[in-house]
């Protein structure tokens, strides 16, 4: 319901509810936002992350999208041929959960949400090219997702293997990471503790691109994203060393400190290591199995947490250290992970913090084999902490005495000569697991044949479409596993009876290439039209949340590089510039959430104030890269500003045409000059701030310019009693104000532009250029110092020369008193800023 404050803030005739739909319909009818190939113009592919159709837009969508739209509009006015598309990332877990809880088909739930969100998105007035819309759950879209998978499989970049997954024993199904709730790691559906279970899964070989993914040359992305991706990939240099069990089985380890090998006094395996069961002695089996069961219910993050007490269990078995043939006990401990290195470590407690804590907890030997310079000789019995520093090798057999700067390289060479180790680089990042035991996802286009194995579906048979006639089982398992007809098919290779793969793909697979489908969503000859690709790609600007750094953004980079190597795409990177927005929080600083009941409905704000007011407020109220707590009360200041602009234009209309009062003369001349100067200064600042994504200061500068024009108008009315807005220079300043407002408040700017008789459309006008001469101040203020201390200020002409500036500064009474009658030894003049008198 509209408040009295809202009504009172509206200016007569300014009705956003009438103005905004009118222009949205006109723009749509005229194809104003349609992006077409034009070789004569500079292109700019501007992309903002597509939403998931969860039901309704929230204020976070507006906060991410409308400032991005403003900058896309600004670039178009700068002369770029801008493409700004929109679509929906429509597969995924929420739709499947909704289907089960609401007894509705996930397709029906998803497409109803898309219809609603599309209507809401249109109310923003954004310049999206809706003819390029793409939805990842359309068969016309996921046909090409499957096509990419088949290409990856053919180039050995996709493969299948057994891997551990989270599994709910009550629902009898795997549980995606998003479905595991809280520290207790409970199944989202039934609150049962999840466990780890091995299943056959499909992977993509992202690790093949680890080195290239660590190179960020040629892209303008935030340093924070570079750091997050670098840490996630986790490149480590060291040595691969082979230990042996007493039975002769190889125990492979990777170490970044091969120079400490002689200090290994025990080994530790991850509880999931495949050798654990065979190594464990009968006497230790019950304790080991209980520990393994407990460890597999924890997250990797929990297991690696700093400061956490180290726990473990002895297997009863021993390994042989290859550098000295010493027998050392084999333990299992949850701080060792199968997802890093080999899942086995040589434990050197004297020189590793975690190993030291573990050794002290279980009374294991601590043996120093590195002696840093300048430190007292180390004693394993009395050490209170591990010594991590490099140093000379001690008690290290033939390498004893090797200096710190040669220790690692000489050890690696020594290992290689004896065939027990080699130099190696490893990565923390694992290959990308894309299998999901879900219905609402892109089917993996593979047929399993008893004779031929896993056979990809031929391109001419794509897409493998999801069946609509499905039945949800009480167990929660995927309906595809039990579909009576869909899963049964013929082998594409031999024609024998076979079964379809019932796993569907990770939805990040769909979103790794959506920017390509926007190029030509109706194209049937491939995932994209090559002509469109050659003109528009790469994406010039991409905006979205930094939380996607190590999944979507990393996967998209990998996907592009893999496509390049398969001959599908070109160039090193898919997106040249990336900018991240912050987050709008609830008024109490908590994250907005429907479950908490603290979300803000943008539809209600639009109904009360108009889309332009909401757009301008979201840009003005926060630094876009940071965000902050929501405060709806602050929107009234923006509403009042828009009302003042409306009033200003009505005054211009009443004052008559551009020649009503000429260029300004007599008493009005200075006021007109002040307005023109403020206008050109605003052009400089707003242009700079649009380039830097500083939207809050864009709006504040537009507000300042509005106030400057109105203040001069009031001064003129109080003086000569004439309307200053009738002067040509002031009228042109008002037109410039509207032009710069157009990206921020597109509907109001278009309406007022038309009211002033200007050619349609304001969004097709060139961005104004600042005249530095007109932007220069007539007067400037010089700070005057005596011996470095401020003694006064003096207002002078902007073009004052140095002798005149010195003279004016020396004449200040405070300066004369500070000088005490002494002649200056030196006068330092910083043009336009400072006069410093040294006495």
């Amino acid at each position: 319901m509209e408040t009295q404050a809202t009504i009172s803030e509206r200016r007569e005739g300014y009705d956003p509810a009438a103005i905004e739909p009118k222009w949205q319909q006109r723009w749509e009818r005229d194809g104003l936002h349609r992006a077409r190939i034009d070789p004569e113009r500079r292109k700019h592919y501007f992309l903002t992350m597509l939403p998931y159709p969860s039901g309704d837009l929230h204020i976070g969508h507006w906060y991410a999208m409308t400032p991005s739209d403003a900058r896309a509009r600004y670039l178009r006015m700068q002369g770029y041929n801008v493409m700004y598309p929109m679509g929906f990332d429509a597969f995924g877990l929420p739709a499947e959960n909704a289907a089960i809880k609401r007894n509705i088909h996930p397709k029906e739930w998803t497409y109803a949400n898309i219809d609603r969100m599309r209507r809401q998105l249109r109310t923003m007035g954004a310049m999206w090219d809706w003819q390029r819309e793409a939805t990842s759950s359309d068969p016309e879209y996921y046909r090409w997702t499957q096509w990419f998978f088949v290409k990856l499989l053919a180039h050995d970049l996709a493969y299948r293997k057994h891997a551990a997954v989270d599994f709910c024993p009550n629902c009898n199904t795997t549980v995606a990471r998003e479905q595991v709730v809280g520290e207790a790691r409970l199944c989202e559906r039934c609150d049962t503790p999840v466990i780890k279970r091995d299943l056959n899964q499909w992977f993509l070989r992202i690790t093949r691109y680890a080195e290239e993914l660590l190179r960020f040359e040629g892209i303008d992305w935030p340093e924070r994203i570079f750091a997050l991706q670098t840490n996630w990939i986790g490149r480590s240099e060291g040595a691969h060393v082979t230990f042996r069990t007493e039975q002769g089985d190889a125990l492979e380890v990777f170490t970044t400190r091969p120079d400490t090998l002689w200090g290994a006094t025990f080994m530790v395996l991850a509880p999931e290591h495949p050798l654990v069961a065979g190594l464990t002695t009968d006497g230790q089996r019950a304790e080991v199995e209980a520990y393994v069961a407990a460890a597999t219910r924890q997250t990797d993050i929990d297991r690696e947490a700093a400061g956490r007490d180290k726990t473990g269990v002895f297997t009863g078995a021993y390994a042989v250290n290859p550098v000295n043939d010493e027998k050392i006990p084999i333990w299992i401990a949850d701080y060792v992970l199968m997802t890093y290195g080999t899942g086995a470590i040589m434990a050197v407690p004297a020189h590793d913090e975690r190993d030291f804590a573990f050794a002290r907890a279980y009374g294991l030997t601590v043996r120093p084999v590195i002696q840093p310079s300048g430190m007292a000789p180390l004693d394993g019995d009395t050490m209170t902490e591990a010594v991590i520093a490099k140093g000379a090798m001690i008690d290290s057999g033939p390498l004893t005495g090797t200096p710190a700067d040669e220790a690692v390289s000489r050890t690696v060479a020594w290992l290689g000569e004896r065939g027990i180790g080699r130099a190696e680089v490893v990565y923390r990042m694992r290959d990308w697991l894309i299998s999901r035991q879900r219905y609402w996802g892109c089917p993996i286009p593979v047929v399993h044949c008893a004779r031929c194995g896993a056979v990809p579906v031929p391109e001419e048979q794509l897409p493998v479409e999801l069946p609509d006639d499905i039945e949800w089982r009480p167990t929660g398992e995927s309906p595809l596993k039990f579909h009576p007809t869909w899963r049964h098919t013929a082998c594409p290779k031999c024609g024998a009876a076979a079964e379809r793969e019932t796993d569907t793909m990770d939805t990040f697979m769909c979103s790794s290439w959506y920017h390509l489908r926007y190029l030509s969503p109706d194209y049937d000859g491939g995932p994209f039209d090559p002509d469109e690709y050659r003109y528009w790609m790469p994406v010039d600007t991409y905006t979205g949340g930094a939380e996607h750094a190590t999944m979507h953004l990393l996967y998209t980079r990998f996907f592009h590089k893999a496509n390049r190597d398969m001959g599908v795409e070109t160039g090193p990177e898919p997106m040249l510039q990336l900018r991240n927005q912050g987050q709008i929080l609830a008024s109490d600083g908590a994250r907005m959430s429907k479950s908490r009941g603290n979300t803000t409905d943008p539809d209600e704000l639009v109904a009360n104030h108009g889309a332009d007011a909401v757009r301008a407020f979201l840009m003005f109220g926060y630094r876009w890269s940071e965000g902050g707590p929501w405060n709806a009360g602050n929107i009234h200041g923006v509403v009042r500003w828009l009302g003042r602009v409306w009033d200003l234009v009505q005054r211009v209309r009443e004052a008559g045409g551009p020649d009503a009062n000429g260029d300004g003369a007599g008493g009005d001349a200075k006021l007109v000059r002040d307005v023109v100067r403020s206008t050109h200064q605003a052009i400089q600042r707003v242009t700079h701030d649009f380039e830097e994504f500083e939207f809050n200061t864009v709006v504040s500068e537009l507000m300042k310019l509005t106030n400057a024009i109105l203040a001069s108008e009031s001064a003129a009315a109080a003086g000569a009693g004439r309307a200053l807005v009738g002067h040509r220079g002031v009228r042109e300043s008002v037109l410039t104000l509207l032009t710069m407002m157009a990206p921020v408040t597109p509907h109001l700017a278009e309406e007022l532009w038309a009211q002033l008789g200007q050619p349609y459309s304001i969004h097709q006008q060139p961005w104004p250029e600042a005249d530095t001469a007109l932007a220069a101040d007539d007067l400037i203020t010089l700070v005057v110092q005596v011996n470095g201390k401020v003694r006064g200020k003096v207002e002078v002409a902007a073009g004052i020369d140095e002798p005149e500036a010195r003279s004016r500064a020396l004449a200040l009474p405070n300066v004369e008193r500070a000088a005490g009658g002494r002649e200056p030894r030196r006068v330092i003049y910083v043009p336009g800023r400072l006069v410093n008198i040294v006495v």
Side-chain angles (χ1 to χ4, degrees):
M1 182 177 291
E2 213 169 38
T3 65
Q4 189 60 41
T6 303
I7 296 170
S8 65
E9 284 169 358
R10 285 216 176 135
R11 297 313 204 267
E12 185 178 353
Y14 177 32
D15 182 5
I19 291 170
E20 293 175 353
K22 176 183 74 173
W23 288 112
Q24 290 167 13
Q25 293 163 16
R26 173 77 186 274
W27 298 332
E28 184 72 21
R29 186 172 66 248
D30 296 342
L32 189 68
H33 307 322
R34 185 77 176 102
R36 296 179 176 87
I37 293 175
D38 184 352
E40 301 302 315
R41 296 174 62 198
R42 298 174 297 169
K43 69 91 177 179
H44 195 101
Y45 186 173
F46 200 109
L47 183 64
T48 193
M49 291 182 185
L50 78 176
Y52 183 82
S54 56
D56 288 294
L57 286 184
H58 52 75
I59 204 66
H61 289 113
W62 276 71
Y63 184 69
M65 294 174 180
T66 52
S68 295
D69 172 67
R71 192 167 189 276
R73 289 179 174 277
Y74 157 78
L75 288 167
R76 181 169 65 180
M77 297 175 79
Q78 283 280 11
Y80 288 95
N81 184 20
V82 178
M83 180 170 74
Y84 189 51
M86 178 49 62
F88 299 93
D89 186 16
F91 274 138
L93 188 65
E96 191 157 314
N97 283 342
I100 294 171
K101 293 175 183 176
R102 297 172 174 82
N103 194 28
I104 186 174
H105 198 286
K107 178 189 286 188
E108 181 182 345
W109 184 82
T110 297
Y111 283 90
N113 288 346
I114 288 175
D115 287 342
R116 183 162 59 254
M117 291 180 73
R118 190 186 293 115
R119 288 193 300 271
Q120 291 176 307
L121 286 165
R122 287 180 182 274
T123 67
M124 289 183 186
M127 59 171 283
W128 287 310
D129 181 353
W130 284 105
Q131 292 189 48
R132 293 182 179 272
E133 178 187 334
T135 299
S136 65
S137 56
D138 289 346
E140 296 80 7
Y141 184 101
Y142 68 75
R143 167 192 178 184
W144 299 109
T145 305
Q146 294 173 348
W147 181 88
F148 280 118
F149 177 87
V150 171
K151 294 281 285 184
L152 291 163
L153 190 60
H155 285 79
D156 192 34
L157 290 172
Y159 66 96
R160 192 171 185 238
K161 72 169 184 178
H162 269 84
V165 295
D166 288 322
F167 188 86
C168 174
N170 182 54
C171 295
N172 195 32
T173 183
T174 60
V175 183
R177 182 163 46 184
E178 302 86 11
Q179 289 181 291
V180 180
V181 179
E183 294 183 4
R185 291 181 49 74
L186 305 178
C187 172
E188 181 185 62
R189 289 181 178 175
C190 67
D191 290 336
T192 300
V194 301
I195 60 175
K196 293 282 187 183
R197 178 167 292 184
D198 274 357
L199 284 179
N200 246 341
Q201 306 281 286
W202 287 97
F203 292 83
L204 300 184
R205 298 189 193 276
I206 190 173
T207 52
R208 281 193 182 174
Y209 290 83
E211 283 296 330
E212 192 177 353
L213 288 168
L214 286 168
R215 297 196 293 268
F216 305 102
E217 297 87 354
I219 57 175
D220 175 17
W221 287 28
E223 287 295 330
R224 176 188 178 195
I225 302 299
F226 293 162
L228 288 169
Q229 291 195 356
T230 298
N231 292 338
W232 181 265
I233 294 168
R235 184 183 194 276
S236 297
E237 292 185 10
H240 185 102
V241 184
T242 303
F243 284 67
R244 296 280 174 183
T245 66
E246 289 181 289
Q247 293 75 29
D249 294 322
L251 264 178
E252 311 289 345
V253 303
F254 170 79
T255 175
T256 59
R257 292 294 304 274
D259 53 328
T260 65
L261 266 162
W262 283 263
T265 57
F266 58 101
M267 292 194 74
V268 184
L269 308 188
E272 305 89 347
H273 197 287
L275 290 181
V276 168
L279 284 172
T280 303
T281 61
D282 291 340
Q284 294 294 110
R285 192 166 305 281
E287 190 176 0
V288 166
E289 288 177 350
Y291 187 86
V292 169
T296 55
R297 292 196 55 245
Q298 302 173 57
T299 67
D300 287 357
I301 294 173
D302 291 338
R303 286 166 60 169
E304 288 193 296
R308 182 173 176 269
D309 288 342
K310 300 296 180 286
T311 64
V313 174
F314 178 43
T315 64
Y318 291 83
V320 177
N321 187 335
V323 300
N324 56 13
D325 293 330
E326 181 181 355
K327 275 179 54 176
I328 55 177
I330 302 173
W331 288 64
I332 62 169
D334 58 12
Y335 74 88
V336 178
L337 307 176
M338 282 302 299
T339 54
Y340 181 69
T342 63
I345 66 166
M346 60 173 209
V348 185
H351 305 295
D352 182 275
E353 292 175 352
R354 294 181 307 173
D355 296 345
F356 183 87
F358 192 90
R360 287 296 188 237
Y362 293 98
L364 299 168
T365 302
V366 177
R367 180 188 301 148
V369 291
I370 297 293
Q371 181 61 54
S373 62
M375 185 179 290
L378 298 176
D379 181 348
D381 293 333
T382 60
M383 290 174 68
T384 58
E385 61 182 0
V387 175
I388 314 301
K390 298 286 182 72
M393 297 175 69
I394 59 173
D395 295 333
S396 298
L399 296 185
T400 297
T402 302
D405 58 349
E406 300 177 18
V408 170
S409 60
R410 283 188 59 183
T411 302
V412 171
W414 186 87
L415 293 170
E417 290 166 2
R418 284 151 185 79
I420 55 176
R422 64 181 184 275
E424 187 173 62
V425 174
V426 301
Y427 305 93
R428 186 177 188 83
M429 177 176 69
R430 302 289 89 191
D431 276 344
W432 177 8
L433 168 63
I434 65 165
S435 288
R436 297 292 181 270
Q437 290 72 42
R438 294 286 168 263
Y439 163 74
W440 191 238
C442 175
I444 294 176
V446 168
V447 170
H448 296 286
C449 173
R451 190 180 304 164
C452 305
V455 181
V457 175
E459 181 180 340
E460 62 272 14
Q461 295 180 23
L462 300 178
V464 177
E465 292 194 40
L466 288 170
D468 288 333
D469 55 330
I470 57 167
E471 228 178 278
W472 298 107
R473 294 202 160 216
T475 60
E477 293 173 282
S478 170
L480 296 179
K481 290 174 62 177
F482 308 100
H483 197 280
T485 58
W486 180 87
R487 66 191 179 101
H488 299 291
T489 187
C491 172
K493 187 177 287 188
C494 71
E499 288 199 3
R500 296 191 186 280
E501 171 64 67
T502 57
D503 282 359
T504 54
M505 295 188 211
D506 179 8
T507 55
F508 282 116
M509 182 81 172
C510 305
S511 61
S512 290
W513 73 278
Y514 76 100
H515 57 286
L516 299 176
R517 195 58 182 168
Y518 282 157
L519 300 174
S520 45
D522 299 321
Y523 187 68
D524 196 46
F528 52 81
D529 183 334
D531 290 338
E532 296 275 344
Y533 183 94
R534 281 189 289 270
Y535 180 75
W536 291 110
M537 283 295 288
V539 174
D540 295 283
T541 300
Y542 195 29
T543 62
E547 66 273 15
H548 298 290
T550 54
M551 285 196 284
H552 164 62
L553 291 170
L554 192 66
Y555 294 152
T556 299
R557 293 182 66 218
F558 155 70
F559 207 82
H560 176 89
K561 295 171 189 299
N563 276 333
R564 176 205 60 204
D565 291 348
M566 296 189 300
V568 178
E569 294 193 69
T570 58
E573 294 284 348
M575 287 104 179
L576 300 183
Q577 182 185 59
L578 172 72
R579 291 295 181 268
N580 305 124
Q581 81 276 354
Q583 204 170 63
I584 294 291
L585 305 173
S587 55
D588 61 358
R591 187 167 185 171
M592 283 191 179
S593 162
K594 286 184 179 179
S595 61
R596 293 192 181 105
N598 62 356
T599 58
T600 297
D601 182 3
D603 290 354
E604 184 178 339
L605 292 168
V606 171
N608 287 344
H609 307 292
D612 281 342
V614 179
R615 289 170 61 103
F617 171 61
L618 288 171
M619 293 182 217
F620 175 64
Y622 308 87
R623 192 174 185 196
W624 187 68
S625 60
E626 297 174 1
W630 176 253
N631 186 342
N634 290 343
I635 198 173
H636 296 294
V638 170
V639 173
R640 286 191 289 272
W641 167 55
L642 299 184
R644 289 196 300 274
V645 174
W646 178 273
D647 286 349
L648 173 60
V649 171
Q650 306 319 307
R651 294 188 202 180
V652 174
R653 295 174 67 195
E654 293 165 5
D659 297 319
N661 293 328
D663 293 317
D668 291 346
K670 182 180 183 305
L671 293 174
V672 172
R673 191 163 62 250
D674 288 344
V675 169
V676 172
R677 180 186 305 110
S678 296
T679 302
H680 284 267
Q681 290 176 346
I683 295 171
Q684 291 175 326
R685 293 167 185 152
V686 172
T687 302
H688 172 272
D689 293 343
F690 261 125
E691 290 292 335
E692 298 299 320
F693 292 78
E694 296 291 353
F695 302 109
N696 57 331
T697 48
V698 164
V699 179
S700 65
E701 288 297 332
L702 296 173
M703 290 178 169
K704 289 178 188 176
L705 179 56
T706 305
N707 293 340
I709 297 172
L710 288 171
S712 294
E713 169 71 3
S714 298
R722 294 197 301 175
L724 192 70
V725 291
H727 287 293
R728 181 180 293 109
V730 177
R731 181 186 173 91
E732 289 175 356
S733 290
V734 172
L735 292 173
T736 300
L737 170 65
L738 294 178
T739 304
M740 292 192 292
M741 287 178 64
V744 179
T745 56
H747 312 88
L748 177 63
E750 187 80 275
E751 173 70 21
L752 295 178
W753 184 260
Q755 288 185 14
L756 291 176
Q758 299 302 302
Y760 174 81
S761 156
I762 192 171
H763 302 293
Q764 294 176 313
Q765 304 307 307
W767 187 256
E769 293 186 14
D771 185 319
T772 54
L774 293 176
D777 288 316
D778 285 349
L779 296 175
I780 58 174
T781 300
L782 296 178
V783 174
V784 182
Q785 298 177 336
V786 177
N787 292 339
K789 293 184 179 180
V790 175
R791 297 298 182 181
K793 296 178 182 179
V794 59
E795 196 171 69
V796 299
I800 192 170
D801 60 17
E802 183 172 352
E804 180 65 16
R806 291 177 50 166
S807 175
R808 293 287 302 276
L810 289 166
L812 289 177
N814 280 354
V815 171
E816 291 178 343
R817 281 194 293 272
R822 293 170 290 175
E823 286 295 319
R825 289 193 312 177
R826 187 181 175 199
V827 177
I828 302 167
Y829 176 53
V830 180
R833 294 175 53 196
L834 173 73
V835 179
N836 185 22
I837 300 160
V838 181
V839 297

